[in-house]
Each structure stands twice: as structure tokens, then as C-alpha cells.
Amino acid sequence: MDLAYMAELPTQEFVERRAKLFEYLDENSVAVIFSATEQTRSKDTTYPFRQNSYFWYLTGFNEPDAALVLIRKKGKNQTALFLRPNDPEMEIWNGRRLGIEQAPNKLQIDCAFPIETLKEQLISLLADIGTLYHLQGERMQNDLLIGEILSQSVKLTDLRPHLDEMRLFKSTNEIRLMQQAGQISALGHIRAMREMRPNRFEYEIESEILHEFNRFGARFPSYNSIVAGGENACILHYTENDRPLQDGDLVLIDAGCEFSMYAGDITRTFPVNGKFSQPQREIYEIVLAAQKRALELLVVGNNIQQVNDEVVRIKVEGLIRLGILQGNVDDLIAHQAYREFYMHGLGHWLGLDVHDVGSYCNKTQNGDRNSKKRDRTLEVGMVLTVEPGLYISPNSNVPEQYKGIGVRIEDNIVITEYGNKNLTCAVPKEIDDIERLMVER
């Protein structure tokens, strides 16, 4: 598999995705996919614009206030984009717009219209249509518009299950972009290790990570970065990042960049002063052994559930050795005694969203995927995170030396015909390698 550098997807990839989606649509149907809108931050300022992932997946168009309409009628397929017209005055203030005239050629669509005409044209289209596809629940205003134009003779169908299935399997080009996202994310973590010092604040290290992302063309993180020193690491989604980093503590960093819309997602845990204490080392080695075993097992034909079961057993055996758990391994697993220290899953799909779409379950006999078990058989082209962890709360009834230690180790892998490929292996995770890097800083 060629993972050479690339900066964006070619237009043809979006064309092919739309063509594949058309094959799924009923005859005499219309599908409407809305863009994101700008979100107010305060008064007359907005957050940086981030396109809706479904809309982007089908268009590659990065402007707000737009809608893609796919029309399958009388044996013909037509693609229409509704978007903002050019407006010289507004473009002086807020930036360039693609405009109606340039959109068809630039995006390889059939036709383009002003977004203001969307409702009127949808009413006309639905006059002799049997099915309307829509991503229900994404935004109230979109649902209200669809509700206003929908007649009783038209069947409303959620497009997400099929789009989610398409998005779950990454193309070679998508994997190339995710390789870049993983590599840039890795550079951010390496910089954090090199710049770590006792008494620096968590937000200072966060700034080092974001600096590295920006240096390599990833302007934004793919989620709010976690820089959690000491017992803060036992808060799974800790994002305050406002405490000083203490000599003798571990720091857990969960951070990834977004590169060309695709997410990286890495976690590393390491000592603030560059040297693991013995209790820290003991907890870390359990998590590392669990992650290594998971990476061996996450291959075509296996599933996340069975691999997580193996990970749980490794952790329970390790926690018994340290006196944190007492009892029989099988009994402790059966009663989920480990949940106090490992309360999340092994990983999640990764792609345009950091918690990407796609079912984790195998189909049932009636074709549904409604099981809560993550028993879906892994296939070539799936991309997921692998992130076992252990979190020993300071309030836990455990030996004193382990209290307040939180460890998570996370990498991003793509399932291939040869096993899996680790997209984020550039960041050290062996204890000796981490300590060596931090000495050389």
C-alpha cells in the first residue's frame, strides 16, 4: 500500500462517492445533504468553520450555508449544489466564495443554484418523487425545512446508515491523508516529551503540541487536547489543562491533529521529570503489554470485542500481581471488577470524525446491526484507535503507591490484507525509549 504524501483528496474521489451513493438510492428519489453553518462564539464573532463531515465526504466543498441534492429520476442521475452566490462586498469582509458559475466545473457536479432557492426547487422536485433521503437530527432548521415540504405520499428515509457504511471503509487516498494526520500528531507528542519540565503548566505543553501541528499544515486539533498531570489523568476527558506539572508525576497527553479534514488521535503517558518511578513503571507495563497484544490481534477476521476480552484478562492478571485486585482471574472478569480501573472501550473508528461513523456490530439474522457488542468482523480498509488504559483513582482502596496513577497508550491502525499498519508508531512508548528521548531533549 502506497502511503506517499498528499495534501488533499482529488476531485474524482468525491465524484466516485456520489456515483456509488446513487446506486443505493431508490428510483424516483431525492437525497438532500446539508452543509454546516457558522457557529457564534460571542456576539458577532464565530468559531473557526468546520464543514459537516457527511457533506464534505460527498462534495469536498468547504463553505457554509449549502446543500447537495442528488436526484434519481426516470433512469437518470443528476447532482445539484445549492450555495451562496458571489457577493463582492461580503467577500471583502469575510473571504472569497466559490459562487454559482464556478461550482459545476470546480466540483464536477451537474448544476448549481443559489441557496435561497432550495425550498422552492425541492417542492417542485418532490411533486412526483417516492422517497426523500435526509440526515435527520443533524440540525433543527434542516429538519423543519424538510418537514414543511414533505407530503404524505413521500417516504422519508435516513441516509446515514448507508453513508456510514461507505465512510467506514477508507480508500487508499484517505489512508494517505490519515498517514499524514498520524505523522503530524506524532510530531506534536514528540515535541511535548522534549519540552516537558517540572512546574510548567499543562496549557504550556498543549501550546507546544498545537505549535507543532500548525508547523506542518494542520491548523486545528481534531478534538480538545488533554494534558493531564498526576491524578488529573484519572479524569478521562480532562481538558482544563490549567494545573502545574509536578516533579514525580506522570502526565497523560491525548492529542491529535486534523489534516485535510481527517483526524489523528494519539495518547502517550510519560514522567514529568523524565524518569518512571517503580509504581508508575509497574502500571505502565501492564497497559503496554495489553496494547501490544491488541495490536497483534486486531487483524482481518477478528473483532474488537474478542480482542478487548484478551486485553481485560492481561490487565486483571497484572492488577492481581500488584495487589490492586484480589481473587480469581475468571471470577473478577465475570463480575467486571476491573471496571473501576478500566471503564472505557478498547478503541473506536477513526476518519473524518475522531469518533467516526460505522456500526461496530455484525448483522443479525434480519440484517440489522442492533447488538451492543463490538463483534463486527474486521475487514481491509477499516481504521481504528487502540487505547487500553488503567486509572487508579486517589480514592481507590488500593496500595498507597499506586493511587492517582493514570495511564493510557493509544495508536491509530489501518486494517490491511497483511495484518494492520500502525499510523502513529513514530511516538515512543517503550519505557527506555521515552526516558532516552527525554534525556536527549
Side-chain angles (χ1 to χ4, degrees):
M1 182 178 293
D2 180 15
L3 294 175
Y5 174 84
M6 67 183 301
E8 60 183 12
L9 290 175
T11 303
Q12 184 60 28
E13 183 128 349
F14 300 103
V15 174
E16 291 170 359
R17 290 171 179 174
R18 295 193 293 269
K20 184 176 181 180
L21 184 57
F22 268 119
E23 295 175 3
Y24 166 79
L25 302 184
D26 291 343
E27 280 294 333
N28 292 323
S29 66
V30 170
V32 185
I33 302 95
F34 291 93
S35 75
T37 60
E38 292 181 309
Q39 300 296 311
T40 300
R41 185 180 187 276
S42 64
K43 199 172 183 287
D44 57 353
T45 65
T46 60
Y47 287 100
F49 178 72
R50 204 280 184 180
Q51 188 57 276
N52 175 277
S53 294
Y54 290 109
F55 182 84
W56 174 268
Y57 182 77
L58 294 170
T59 66
F61 180 53
N62 199 36
E63 289 187 22
D65 304 324
L68 175 69
V69 178
L70 304 179
I71 307 155
R72 188 169 193 187
K73 195 172 181 181
K74 297 178 181 178
K76 293 184 179 180
N77 299 333
Q78 186 178 36
T79 305
L81 184 69
F82 293 78
L83 69 161
R84 303 174 304 177
N86 290 114
D87 185 328
E89 184 173 351
M90 290 300 296
E91 291 180 55
I92 288 173
W93 287 94
N94 297 324
R96 299 179 183 89
R97 297 179 179 182
L98 178 60
I100 310 298
E101 292 76 18
Q102 295 186 68
N105 183 58
K106 175 72 174 177
L107 302 174
Q108 294 297 292
I109 58 172
D110 296 317
C111 50
F113 306 97
I115 186 63
E116 291 81 9
T117 68
L118 176 64
K119 181 177 179 180
E120 173 189 345
Q121 295 211 41
L122 283 178
I123 291 172
S124 175
L125 283 170
L126 293 181
D128 56 353
I129 285 296
T131 305
L132 175 62
Y133 295 92
H134 167 53
L135 307 180
Q136 302 170 57
E138 290 273 302
R139 184 169 174 261
M140 183 182 297
Q141 291 301 111
N142 299 339
D143 290 348
L144 289 173
L145 171 60
I146 295 299
E148 289 174 9
I149 65 173
L150 194 64
S151 66
Q152 291 185 349
S153 63
V154 178
K155 179 176 70 173
L156 183 62
T157 302
D158 193 346
L159 195 56
R160 269 172 300 202
H162 189 72
L163 272 176
D164 289 355
E165 190 70 7
M166 287 176 60
R167 285 177 54 185
L168 177 57
F169 294 91
K170 274 58 179 183
S171 69
T172 300
N173 284 333
E174 286 182 289
I175 292 169
R176 286 170 176 162
L177 292 180
M178 296 193 73
Q179 173 83 39
Q180 290 302 118
Q183 181 63 24
I184 296 169
S185 299
L187 292 171
H189 281 262
I190 292 169
R191 184 183 180 97
M193 290 180 181
R194 286 176 169 157
E195 296 299 325
M196 182 62 63
R197 303 286 188 282
N199 300 320
R200 295 195 76 181
F201 279 81
E202 293 164 339
Y203 58 74
E204 291 183 76
I205 301 303
E206 180 183 16
S207 72
E208 300 285 358
I209 295 167
L210 297 179
H211 170 82
E212 202 72 358
F213 291 174
N214 272 262
R215 277 186 66 207
F216 292 97
R219 283 198 59 207
F220 304 106
S222 52
Y223 54 94
N224 293 326
S225 302
I226 297 169
V227 182
E231 63 186 52
N232 293 336
C234 297
I235 303 170
L236 298 185
H237 292 158
Y238 174 83
T239 55
E240 285 85 348
N241 296 355
D242 60 358
R243 308 303 298 169
L245 292 155
Q246 304 291 342
D247 194 350
D249 280 349
L250 291 177
V251 57
L252 184 156
I253 297 179
D254 188 337
C257 77
E258 181 174 282
F259 181 78
S260 194
M261 295 292 287
Y262 286 86
D265 184 3
I266 300 175
T267 307
R268 290 293 186 268
T269 309
F270 55 95
V272 171
N273 63 13
K275 189 72 175 177
F276 285 86
S277 70
Q278 187 59 31
Q280 291 168 354
R281 179 182 288 261
E282 289 168 348
I283 299 294
Y284 188 94
E285 286 176 339
I286 295 172
V287 178
L288 183 60
Q291 205 226 20
K292 285 181 175 179
R293 183 58 177 153
L295 289 171
E296 291 175 359
L297 295 175
L298 289 166
V299 297
V300 170
N302 289 342
N303 63 66
I304 296 173
Q305 182 66 47
Q306 71 187 86
V307 177
N308 189 59
D309 290 345
E310 181 80 6
V311 161
V312 165
R313 180 167 292 275
I314 291 169
K315 290 181 181 181
V316 170
E317 290 172 348
L319 292 174
I320 290 173
R321 285 197 305 273
L322 300 184
I324 293 173
L325 286 175
Q326 293 85 35
N328 175 268
V329 173
D330 292 329
D331 290 342
L332 291 169
I333 292 173
H335 291 93
Q336 296 190 334
Y338 60 88
R339 292 287 293 176
E340 180 182 354
F341 311 112
Y342 175 48
M343 60 291 292
H344 59 75
L346 178 61
H348 53 80
W349 306 134
L350 188 68
L352 286 172
D353 295 312
V354 69
H355 292 106
D356 209 30
V357 296
S359 174
Y360 292 93
C361 310
N362 275 330
K363 287 184 178 180
T364 59
Q365 287 185 344
N366 63 6
D368 295 333
R369 298 184 187 273
N370 54 9
S371 167
K372 293 184 179 180
K373 290 187 69 174
R374 296 192 167 195
D375 62 353
R376 182 163 187 170
T377 303
L378 294 173
E379 300 178 56
V380 173
M382 294 175 169
V383 179
L384 64 152
T385 67
V386 189
E387 49 178 309
L390 284 173
Y391 315 90
I392 317 299
S393 166
N395 301 318
S396 296
N397 183 22
V398 301
E400 192 68 29
Q401 67 267 31
Y402 301 117
K403 291 184 177 182
I405 294 178
V407 174
R408 183 164 64 252
I409 306 170
E410 178 182 21
D411 283 300
N412 309 157
I413 64 170
V414 55
I415 304 299
T416 77
E417 58 269 44
Y418 308 111
N420 66 60
K421 181 175 179 63
N422 191 334
L423 304 179
T424 52
C425 60
V427 195
K429 60 185 175 186
E430 297 288 346
I431 287 177
D432 289 347
D433 292 338
I434 290 172
E435 290 183 342
R436 187 180 304 111
L437 174 65
M438 296 185 73
V439 166
E440 293 171 353
R441 60 194 174 185

